[in-house]
Amino acid sequence: LFRSVKRLGGEASWLPLAAPSHLFPPLTPFSKREFDVAFVGSVRPGSHRAQVIEHLRMRFNMAPQTRQTPAEMMATYANARVVVNIPVQSDLNMRVFEGPAAGAFLVTPPVDDLNEILPADYYGSVSGSSPSDFSDAVAQALDLSDLPERASVACSIVRDGHTYEKRSEVILRVLAETSQRTQNESSRARALGLAHARAEIGRAHV
């Protein structure tokens, strides 16, 4: 919808999801993180997600799959070096923000507009859709000599610029600008109306 409106020449602003700053956990040093990789989300038995997770669990020390509150989920991510995103669709979901906000390195298949959030060097890409593609991408991430530094940069990007407070600031700014523009247009219309009325009065007295 956003792109359609822009193509038609309309005014539109894109606001993706964000990270919940009230749930930001303390950042655990990478050397003290218990798990190689974590994923928190619904997993239907026999699904693609289930297959990916099973493959990851065979290769890595993976955080347990349990039902978690949002606060527990963020704590789990803060105790993992990598958060893997296994999206149902190619949309920019909350995990893309939550993982980096917890200081973990994001590994994800292509999702829409991710480069608007994180530069390419600060997340890992899954090249295909098979379980082995996911586990290979996680292995490549874990082998990065500067993985903690990359994760730290991504964490700062999300915590500083992609929280719901930041999204609210954008909404309030746009509303204020729209209100000001409407007031200006209304004032111009009143001024033109007054000028027209004065002109008509002037002609009536000629």
Side-chain angles (χ1 to χ4, degrees):
L1 178 60
F2 165 74
R3 291 183 179 82
S4 298
V5 172
K6 295 293 282 187
R7 279 197 299 270
L8 293 172
E11 291 188 27
S13 297
W14 174 64
L15 279 182
L17 295 169
S21 61
H22 66 290
L23 297 179
F24 285 170
L27 295 177
T28 307
F30 258 54
S31 61
K32 295 183 179 180
R33 295 191 176 214
E34 181 179 358
F35 303 110
D36 294 325
V37 60
F39 172 87
V40 177
S42 60
V43 181
R44 183 169 49 83
S47 65
H48 177 253
R49 275 185 176 177
Q51 294 170 17
V52 170
I53 289 170
E54 181 180 2
H55 206 277
L56 291 171
R57 197 171 297 286
M58 289 190 298
R59 290 187 63 178
F60 309 105
N61 179 19
M62 188 171 188
Q65 292 303 119
T66 59
R67 185 179 295 275
Q68 300 184 20
T69 66
E72 290 169 340
M73 171 200 66
M74 292 297 288
T76 295
Y77 287 164
N79 201 24
R81 286 174 280 280
V82 166
V83 163
V84 63
N85 183 35
I86 316 170
V88 176
Q89 300 179 6
S90 63
D91 57 326
L92 199 63
N93 59 35
M94 291 180 66
R95 199 173 296 107
V96 167
F97 300 93
E98 293 161 346
F105 187 74
L106 176 71
V107 169
T108 180
V111 295
D112 297 337
D113 301 307
L114 178 56
N115 285 341
E116 298 289 330
I117 308 300
L118 292 174
D121 286 343
Y122 300 108
Y123 65 90
S125 296
V126 181
S127 60
S129 60
S130 71
S132 60
D133 290 327
F134 277 83
S135 61
D136 287 346
V138 170
Q140 291 170 9
L142 291 171
D143 284 342
L144 291 170
S145 60
D146 60 347
L147 180 63
E149 291 76 18
R150 295 190 192 208
S152 178
V153 170
C155 179
S156 295
I157 290 172
V158 172
R159 288 193 175 202
D160 293 343
H162 298 286
T163 63
Y164 287 106
E165 288 83 0
K166 292 294 183 181
R167 300 289 185 256
S168 298
E169 289 175 10
V170 172
I171 292 170
L172 291 174
R173 185 177 69 249
V174 170
L175 289 174
E177 291 171 352
T178 301
S179 176
Q180 185 61 50
R181 188 162 56 246
T182 301
Q183 291 177 10
N184 291 342
E185 291 171 354
S186 177
S187 296
R188 283 196 295 271
R190 286 197 299 271
L192 288 172
L194 182 59
H196 180 74
R198 287 175 174 170
E200 290 296 324
I201 293 173
R203 279 196 292 269
H205 286 82
V206 171

